[in-house]
Amino acid sequence: MTVRQVGEPDAAKAATDAGPSAASQPIDLRERNAGKRRARRREYWLFAAFAVPNVLVIAVFGIWPLLVNAVLSFTRWDFISPWPIFVGLENYRWILTSPAFLSVIKTTIIFTGAVVAASVTIGLAVALLLNQRLVGRNIVRTVTFAPHVLSGAAVAMIWLFIFDPNFGLARILFDLLGMTSPNWVAQSSTALIAITIVHIWKGIGFNAIVYLSALQGLPTELYEAAEIDGAGAWRRHRALTIPLLSPTTFFLVTVETIGATKAFDIIAVMTGGGPGDATTVLSWFIYEAAFESFQVGRAAAGAMVLFITLLGIFAIQRRFVERKVHYQ
Amino acid sequence: MNAPIIQAPSGTRRSSQVSGRHIATSVLHYGLLIVVALVFLVPLYWLFTSAFKDNTEIYQWPPVWLPSSLDPGNFVRAWQAAPFGQFLLNSALMTTVGTVAKTVLACTTAYAFVYLRFPAKNVLFVVLLSAIMIPGNVSIIVNYLTVSGLGWVNTYLGLIVPGIGSVFGTFLLRQHMLTLPRELLEAAQVDGASHLRRLVQIVLPISRPIVVTVAILAVIDEWNSFIWPLIVTNTDSMRTLPIGLYFLKAEEGGVADWGLIMAGTVFVLLPMLVIFLLAQRFIVSGLVSGAVKG
């Protein structure tokens, strides 16, 4: 009894002192929810502080340009007059009918096709070679890969000197054959070949390294079984290595295709799109149309062609990889 | 680990049967190895030696393989022909600031996407990833308009800011952070460590190889970038090394002064070559990680 009498006011006092948190359950829950909400709001703010600068830069300089570019592709503009003039499908009509643009597309396809085919197959060959136990293979691997990280402008400068018809190293090969060296970058017949060679040279190391890491992950048992069944080295390559590497091949084909369509610095330094339009690929066309001829609308339409093509390549690659490619 | 095709030709297993065919394969392999090495070494060798040759040696046929002296004359001339000191400073500034900003942003963004709540976080991440599909060449026109609207043409801001967003770096770090044990972070939370502290003292130290990889890939991108600095700068005082080299050659006109240009090329190429040789492991793993996961 006494305990109760003493205890009751105490409990009441404690309840008021400690505020709502120590009181009955409904109030307690509400308070805890408010606390949770505050914590969550703090977390949102923190998320914003952590992520927004990056997201903002990507949105403004990575995603937004595509939308505006799409709009610009329906206009005529020279950067100087106050507003772009809406011209509807005029730029796209030009793109589909103009021999100049068709030549750009043709050059882009030849260049991209040659770069992709050569750098992927030579890359595989180099990877197979580097996969053998050979003394010095690590040094060769390093040497092969180095150009991939070097400035395209600098690499282009080296090769421009090598392709010099009078004093360049490439002349050695022609002297051996008893021929005169072509004036590589000054002739339309050879300029595209020259920039293609430089691109391939720069890209082989990357392809070789990716293939090499794929080769080292191949299942040993299959090869042992094949060897027991009497399959020779060549047969094992054809029946096992190439199919097993097909996911890697498709990955590299995609990456190299995208890389080749980005080609810019090597072309800028070596040929500037010329002679004539012999090395004007799509990316050079976009730059030249916008920043040298000030035909912003045409350049924007060219950029849309590039974007849609790449989107198509992504889509094909995804479907192809899902359906046809052998996974281990 | 290695497939038999690796072991077979080396002949360790059947050493008793070392045959003529075996030796032939070996010779073939080493022959090819040497050819590959030469194809990649000779152009670089040619660059470095030509940079030291005087004009009589450069314009001589058959080619002079060893320059008669290590005369730095071409480097001095190149340094005087164009403000390479300024180009170097601009490149160094762009690379340093750009790399630090890009790496820090990639780390904080990845942490936020893995450990913090936010409405529609996953949708936001997908939108972010979609930017990978939009190639830089498509964006240059509008980016030029944006930067000129901001009054940033021919400024360091214009040169650096558009490039500091990093989709691939964020993606790489996020994938890595998702694999880290949750208990570690929960323990830190119980100890009352703030998110910033958890990021800096726990997540980043155990993610160091990935962070270094992201940073090195950023260095390569920034140092070598070409089309954007070409568009956004218009005076020598703002140009970066590759752009300076490009204009140096353009100003030389038809008859190129190859000794001078090779020296300028060394200025552009050498720093990255050194970084590559020092950080090879991270560069290769970084570039290949896209392949393995892709």
Side-chain angles (χ1 to χ4, degrees):
Chain A
M1 275 301 257
T2 38
V3 173
R4 223 181 161 186
Q5 273 171 340
V6 175
E8 258 187 287
D10 257 35
K13 191 173 172 269
T16 42
D17 274 356
S21 67
S24 60
Q25 254 209 328
I27 301 169
D28 180 25
L29 254 184
R30 209 183 309 146
E31 175 59 18
R32 212 190 308 156
N33 278 346
K36 261 188 186 167
R37 264 204 306 278
R38 259 203 308 278
R40 184 168 295 177
R41 255 205 310 275
R42 249 205 330 270
E43 216 169 309
Y44 288 175
W45 277 111
L46 197 64
F47 181 96
F50 273 15
V52 161
N54 197 7
V55 172
L56 197 69
V57 171
I58 292 164
V60 171
F61 295 105
I63 299 172
W64 169 249
L66 180 69
L67 307 175
V68 180
N69 191 87
V71 174
L72 281 177
S73 72
F74 298 109
T75 68
R76 191 186 313 131
W77 196 30
D78 57 3
F79 277 130
I80 299 149
S81 49
W83 288 106
I85 301 157
F86 181 78
V87 293
L89 289 169
E90 167 62 29
N91 292 320
Y92 290 98
R93 196 191 60 80
W94 180 83
I95 270 175
L96 288 175
T97 55
S98 143
F101 193 81
L102 291 182
S103 149
V104 169
I105 293 297
K106 198 179 120 198
T107 311
T108 309
I109 291 173
I110 294 172
F111 172 75
T112 307
V115 166
V116 173
S119 56
V120 171
T121 42
I122 302 173
L124 176 60
V126 171
L128 289 171
L129 181 70
L130 292 177
N131 203 17
Q132 313 288 327
R133 282 194 188 155
L134 302 172
V135 179
R137 67 174 179 176
N138 286 337
I139 299 168
V140 177
R141 201 184 62 182
T142 304
V143 166
T144 315
F145 192 73
H148 185 71
V149 304
L150 299 178
S151 148
V155 165
M157 228 41 117
I158 301 175
W159 278 90
L160 208 50
F161 186 30
I162 289 174
F163 282 133
D164 185 292
N166 299 313
F167 316 105
L169 283 185
R171 187 183 152 183
I172 292 178
L173 299 176
F174 291 89
D175 280 9
L176 283 176
L177 297 168
M179 291 158 68
T180 328
S181 168
N183 197 350
W184 287 94
V185 295
Q187 284 168 222
S188 20
S189 55
T190 48
L192 189 62
I193 300 174
I195 62 161
T196 308
I197 290 173
V198 180
H199 266 274
I200 295 168
W201 184 79
K202 204 169 182 300
I204 285 174
F206 175 73
N207 292 281
I209 292 271
V210 172
Y211 267 132
L212 198 57
S213 68
L215 278 173
Q216 278 161 4
L218 292 184
T220 323
E221 317 85 63
L222 279 176
Y223 284 89
E224 278 160 7
E227 214 180 349
I228 290 165
D229 290 347
W234 179 244
R235 182 77 199 275
R236 289 199 299 269
H237 274 312
R238 264 196 32 208
L240 288 175
T241 312
I242 307 244
L244 284 172
L245 287 180
S246 53
T248 312
T249 304
F250 277 98
F251 167 79
L252 286 175
V253 166
T254 314
V255 167
E256 285 295 321
T257 308
I258 295 164
T261 58
K262 276 188 197 159
F264 185 82
D265 43 10
I266 291 174
I267 294 170
V269 170
M270 289 184 70
T271 63
D277 62 354
T279 56
T280 302
V281 296
L282 197 45
S283 65
W284 180 264
F285 167 83
I286 296 168
Y287 167 80
E288 197 189 30
F291 296 99
E292 284 180 12
S293 329
F294 306 113
Q295 294 175 317
V296 180
R298 276 185 187 175
M304 292 315 288
V305 171
L306 178 59
F307 173 69
I308 291 162
T309 311
L310 289 180
L311 214 58
I313 292 168
F314 276 121
I316 292 168
Q317 204 247 0
R318 275 195 74 108
R319 292 194 68 165
F320 217 77
V321 167
E322 270 164 25
R323 279 202 199 151
K324 291 242 170 101
V325 169
H326 309 252
Y327 281 106
Q328 293 170 18
Chain B
M1 210 194 99
N2 288 338
I5 48 162
I6 304 155
Q7 294 158 2
S10 67
T12 45
R13 270 183 306 161
R14 294 175 215 156
S15 48
S16 56
Q17 296 177 11
V18 174
S19 57
R21 193 170 162 229
H22 221 113
I23 294 166
T25 343
S26 256
V27 169
L28 179 72
H29 281 157
Y30 278 105
L32 285 172
L33 201 67
I34 289 166
V35 169
V36 173
L38 286 180
V39 165
F40 287 90
L41 272 180
V42 168
L44 293 177
Y45 173 84
W46 191 241
L47 164 73
F48 286 108
T49 51
S50 300
F52 284 106
K53 287 178 197 165
D54 62 27
N55 271 343
T56 51
E57 282 176 333
I58 280 190
Y59 300 113
Q60 198 170 316
W61 194 263
V64 181
W65 289 99
L66 261 180
S68 58
S69 70
L70 286 180
D71 178 17
N74 288 325
F75 295 97
V76 176
R77 281 199 307 132
W79 199 269
Q80 287 162 347
F84 270 102
Q86 185 67 42
F87 299 158
L88 181 66
L89 184 78
N90 295 339
S91 267
L93 195 77
M94 180 187 178
T95 305
T96 315
V97 177
T99 299
V100 170
K102 207 170 183 171
T103 312
V104 169
L105 290 187
C107 289
T108 55
T109 312
Y111 183 91
F113 274 105
V114 174
Y115 297 108
L116 295 173
R117 281 171 298 180
F118 197 72
K121 188 170 83 170
N122 291 330
V123 177
L124 195 62
F125 193 72
V126 171
V127 173
L128 207 65
L129 270 188
S130 72
I132 273 187
M133 308 246 250
I134 306 169
N137 290 341
V138 173
S139 314
I140 51 166
I141 300 169
V142 181
N143 281 349
Y144 177 76
L145 294 174
T146 310
V147 163
S148 86
L150 291 164
W152 286 358
V153 170
N154 215 35
T155 66
Y156 288 120
L157 279 175
L159 201 56
I160 296 168
V161 171
I164 62 172
S166 150
V167 183
F168 181 66
T170 305
F171 177 72
L172 210 62
L173 278 160
R174 177 181 171 269
Q175 295 302 97
H176 172 73
M177 286 182 195
L178 286 173
T179 66
L180 298 180
R182 289 249 156 195
E183 295 81 1
L184 215 60
L185 273 290
E186 276 159 16
Q189 189 180 3
V190 171
D191 289 346
S194 68
H195 279 290
L196 188 63
R197 207 173 151 151
R198 277 177 247 171
L199 169 63
V200 172
Q201 294 194 330
I202 298 166
V203 175
L204 290 187
I206 47 178
S207 314
R208 201 161 65 194
I210 314 284
V211 177
V212 172
T213 299
V214 169
I216 288 174
L217 295 183
V219 170
I220 297 172
D221 271 0
E222 297 281 325
W223 186 267
N224 295 339
S225 65
F226 190 83
I227 190 165
W228 183 246
L230 176 68
I231 290 168
V232 86
T233 65
N234 52 36
T235 60
D236 268 355
S237 62
M238 285 305 301
R239 275 171 194 153
T240 58
L241 274 173
I243 309 304
L245 181 66
Y246 173 65
F247 280 104
L248 177 68
K249 188 220 146 205
E251 280 150 25
E252 289 294 319
V255 199
D257 183 343
W258 283 117
L260 182 81
I261 287 175
M262 289 297 106
T265 305
V266 170
F267 291 145
V268 181
L269 184 136
L270 191 60
M272 199 45 66
L273 197 61
V274 171
I275 289 176
F276 170 68
L277 293 175
L278 293 177
Q280 227 196 106
R281 188 165 64 93
F282 292 104
I283 292 172
V284 171
S285 69
L287 286 165
V288 173
S289 63
V292 175
K293 285 186 183 118

